[in-house]
Structure formats: structure tokens, C-alpha cells
Amino acid sequence: MPQSAPTAVAELLTMLDLEKIEENIFRGRSPQIGWQRVFGGLVVAQALVAASRTVSGRTPHSLHGYFLLAGDPQAPIVYEVDRLRDGKSFTTRRCNAIQHGRAIFSLSASFQTEEEGFEHAVAMPNAPMPETLPSEAELIEKFGSVMPEPIKRWFASDRAIEARPVDPSRYVRHEPGAPVQDVWLRAAGPLPDDPAIHRAVLAYLSDMTLLDTALIGHGYYVFDPRLQVASLDHALWFHRPFRADEWLLYAQDSPNSSGARGLTRGLFFSREGRLVASVMQEGLIRRRRSDG
């Protein structure tokens, strides 16, 4: 874990603590680390925080969002929440993220009072525990000489999220494989006990590695300069309580790629094997014109 990981976690928590500027209107910002566009997971997480700030006594169980424009990291993001419905059991909110007078992301989220009901869940894949897998520093030491430079920079960067892929050789292979991958993820430092923070952090990290899964089937990776890759929509369902500063297995697959789009899905499991959340996303996967 990088020495500055606690600082990165603190920065993430600051970015998730939105400023209230008016009733139903909040302001967020992006990290100033040289990105050309705002990380999609951050916009999802901040929109969820904004919507949640307008709901009392109910927790989110699902969210659906569309990425409309690339976000500008140099400008603040204004989140406007529309209180669509407050029912007996469910509450619905819509939240638009706005920059330079235009919506860059639109979220719908549903909240529910806690209820007892039927229980079942799929089993966690048979994956090795994260402690048995190489750390990011060990990955660079072992594969750095043959790892594509953009991936190497990503693993070496100071991030608020720690990742341990089950099959790290995926980052040095260049031939097509099955579009499936498992990655252990967690916040790179302790988080406060507030469950809302853990939900927001999971929303943030749920955009990591997901679209990359569709590219495994074609021998590419998400940072490949020959490709134009961008998230188009994102859906997330919360099933059971969890902590985002404890290891979560992100079991991902891609059932389809067509029409310059890839569909990906993922399941989050606690290390005890409990299914805690599900994700689906479709993204743009387009060869750049200069790539023939």
C-alpha cells in the first residue's frame, strides 16, 4: 500500500462530503491530479450522496445513471436533486450533475425502509483470499518490465482504492481470453462507521476495472491508446450491509460486445462470501480512426 494512501482516502472522503449551496442543490469537486476528465465513479458516488442528503430514514437499494458528457476536472460539479416521490415504503430521487450549464450525468435512485423478506443469493466464485495475492507494489516489481506503461502508472499511482487482481497476468497478456475477471478491492485506509459513506465508496469503486472486462475478450485493455473507451450508463443495487474498507471480491464478466459497445456486469462479495451488491454497465468501445 503506498505511503500516501491514507492521504488519498482522506481526499476521497472530502470530495464525498458535498457542500450544500441551496435546498436540494449541492456542489462537489474533483481531485487535481492531471486527469483529462472526471472519473465516472466519482460522479456516481457524489450524485448518490446528493440524493441521499434529501432522504431521511431510508437507505438506497438501487441507482441508475447515464453519463452524458465528459466532466471537466477543473470545474466544480453542481448536483440538483428532484424529489420525485415519497411513498409509504419507497422514496425516489432524480439528480443531475451540471457543469458549464449542461448536464454531464443523470441519476435516478430509489430508497426503501428496512424490511424482512425472502433471502437467497448466488455463491461467491472460488477465488484465493486477497492476502495470498501480490500487492500493487509487488505486481509492478514482478511484471513492470512487460506491463503496458498506462497500467503500470495506474498501479503505481496514489489512489484511495487498493486493488488485488486474482489473475494479474491479464495485464501483460495481449491475446484474447474469456471476458471474465475477479478483483479484490477496498478503501486503502479506514473509513468512518457511517454506512452511507461505505455505500458512496462502493459506488465510487464500482466503476473500476468493470468496462475493462469486456476488452479481455479482444486482447485489449481499458487504457489502450488505440481505443476510445467511455462509460455510457451505470446501474448499482445494494443488497446487504458491508464495509468498503474491508476486502470485497468484484466478480465481473461481459456477456456481450456489439455496435461499438460492451456490456459488463459485476457482483460484490464480502470475504465471508455474502453477496452485498450488484452492478451493470454499458460502455463505448471504439477503435480510434488513426488505428485503421
Side-chain angles (χ1 to χ4, degrees):
M1 185 185 302
Q3 291 297 314
S4 55
T7 302
V9 172
E11 174 72 4
L12 175 59
L13 291 175
T14 298
M15 290 185 293
L16 294 177
D17 187 15
L18 303 182
E19 175 190 1
K20 182 177 181 179
I21 57 178
E22 184 53 83
E23 193 69 20
N24 303 327
I25 302 176
F26 305 85
R27 180 162 47 208
R29 63 180 183 86
S30 300
Q32 302 302 299
I33 55 177
W35 289 351
Q36 293 184 334
R37 60 188 182 186
V38 178
F39 172 54
L42 178 62
V43 183
V44 174
Q46 288 182 333
L48 174 61
V49 170
S52 299
R53 293 271 179 91
T54 69
V55 179
S56 178
R58 296 176 180 181
T59 58
H61 67 90
S62 70
L63 61 85
H64 301 258
Y66 281 93
F67 297 96
L68 306 175
L69 293 170
D72 177 4
Q74 303 302 317
I77 306 174
V78 174
Y79 294 90
E80 295 186 351
V81 180
D82 189 2
R83 301 178 184 235
L84 295 181
R85 179 177 183 268
D86 291 288
K88 292 182 179 180
S89 301
F90 291 88
T91 292
T92 308
R93 295 290 185 262
R94 180 170 56 215
C95 179
N96 288 331
I98 299 171
Q99 280 187 319
H100 307 302
R102 297 190 294 175
I104 65 169
F105 179 74
S106 182
L107 176 87
S108 294
S110 181
F111 301 74
Q112 183 187 14
T113 56
E114 291 190 12
E115 295 185 39
E116 296 293 329
F118 298 108
E119 288 267 349
H120 80 270
V122 298
M124 184 173 74
N126 185 20
M129 288 293 105
E131 293 81 8
T132 67
L133 299 170
S135 67
E136 292 166 328
E138 291 168 338
L139 278 179
I140 294 174
E141 182 179 356
K142 184 176 181 180
F143 297 112
S145 62
V146 292
M147 186 180 289
E149 190 60 32
I151 295 179
K152 183 177 177 180
R153 286 199 303 269
W154 187 79
F155 277 119
S157 63
D158 296 330
R159 289 177 288 108
I161 305 300
E162 185 179 2
R164 294 197 180 184
V166 169
D167 181 15
S169 67
R170 176 266 178 280
Y171 298 104
V172 297
R173 290 196 310 265
H174 303 289
E175 68 276 4
V180 176
Q181 69 171 332
D182 296 336
V183 182
W184 289 97
L185 296 169
R186 69 174 178 183
L191 299 175
D193 290 334
D194 183 357
I197 292 176
H198 292 263
R199 288 190 292 267
V201 171
L202 186 141
Y204 174 86
L205 61 82
S206 69
D207 194 34
M208 292 182 171
T209 74
L210 187 57
L211 191 52
D212 189 54
T213 308
L215 295 170
I216 295 175
H218 308 278
Y220 288 85
Y221 58 93
V222 73
F223 297 123
D224 196 310
R226 296 170 293 178
L227 300 180
Q228 181 184 0
V229 180
S231 302
L232 297 174
D233 62 3
H234 195 85
L236 169 60
W237 295 264
F238 297 107
H239 306 311
R240 294 171 179 86
F242 61 90
R243 290 192 65 94
D245 54 4
E246 296 178 353
W247 286 114
L248 297 169
L249 180 68
Y250 201 6
Q252 304 157 69
D253 74 331
S254 175
N256 182 74
S257 288
S258 60
R261 303 182 312 277
L263 180 68
T264 52
R265 56 191 179 185
L267 301 176
F268 279 102
F269 295 90
S270 69
R271 62 182 303 133
E272 294 79 24
R274 298 174 69 246
L275 179 64
V276 301
S278 301
V279 184
M280 289 197 75
Q281 182 182 95
E282 190 173 47
L284 175 70
I285 302 174
R286 176 188 290 156
R287 288 187 177 89
R288 295 188 184 276
R289 293 178 182 177
S290 60
D291 192 37

